[in-house]
Amino acid sequence: MQRYILIVLGWLAVVLATLGVVLPLLPTTPFLLLAAWCFARSSPRFHYWLLHRSVFGRYLRHWQQHRAMPPGAKGRAILFILITFAFSLWMVKLLWVRLLLLAILCALLVFMIRIPVVDEGQEKR
């Protein structure tokens, strides 16, 4: 029973992570890490798919091996964050919501900037 609960939770996390790619306030990374954890404990097949066949696999493998992002991913992630938050700030008219979005944006950017990047030599190992 526990195995099936972990599989369902893992797939729910994958769906939420996928939605998090386009929704500015829904994080992608924590849901991917949760999915990897659930699949590692419940289904080797789904875990393999997540790490080697899914769109997110390269990023998860880099995180597992190096605790860092692959080269180029950090810049793209920051750019995408800025674009989605700029759109949200443009759409929202309430001042307090804009200020809240700006605070979340600042915290997210500080978090992203602090994540290390795998250099070329480390990546080939």
Side-chain angles (χ1 to χ4, degrees):
M1 184 69 170
Q2 179 183 359
R3 178 177 183 262
Y4 295 113
I5 291 171
L6 287 174
I7 289 173
V8 169
L9 185 60
W11 280 111
L12 179 63
V14 169
V15 169
L16 290 172
T18 304
L19 287 173
V21 170
V22 293
L23 298 174
L25 295 179
L26 190 63
T28 301
T29 305
F31 289 119
L32 283 178
L33 295 175
L34 175 63
W37 182 85
C38 289
F39 289 156
R41 282 151 185 76
S42 62
S43 172
R45 182 178 67 150
F46 292 148
H47 190 248
Y48 180 85
W49 172 84
L50 187 62
L51 292 181
H52 298 282
R53 300 279 186 231
S54 74
V55 174
F56 307 114
R58 178 174 178 236
Y59 305 106
L60 286 170
R61 287 192 313 274
H62 269 83
W63 186 256
Q64 283 185 340
Q65 293 172 359
H66 307 291
R67 292 288 188 241
M69 294 179 80
K74 183 189 252 185
R76 285 190 306 270
I78 290 173
L79 179 64
F80 198 69
I81 289 168
L82 290 172
I83 289 169
T84 56
F85 269 88
F87 179 74
S88 297
L89 289 167
W90 178 64
M91 294 297 291
V92 170
K93 301 299 180 210
L94 296 172
L95 178 62
W96 71 271
V97 176
R98 281 186 175 185
L99 292 175
L100 180 63
L101 283 171
L102 282 172
I104 293 170
L105 173 62
C106 291
L108 189 56
L109 288 176
V110 167
F111 173 76
M112 287 298 296
I113 289 169
R114 294 186 63 195
I115 295 175
V117 175
V118 176
D119 63 1
E120 295 296 325
Q122 190 180 18
E123 186 174 24
K124 294 183 194 282
R125 285 186 225 159

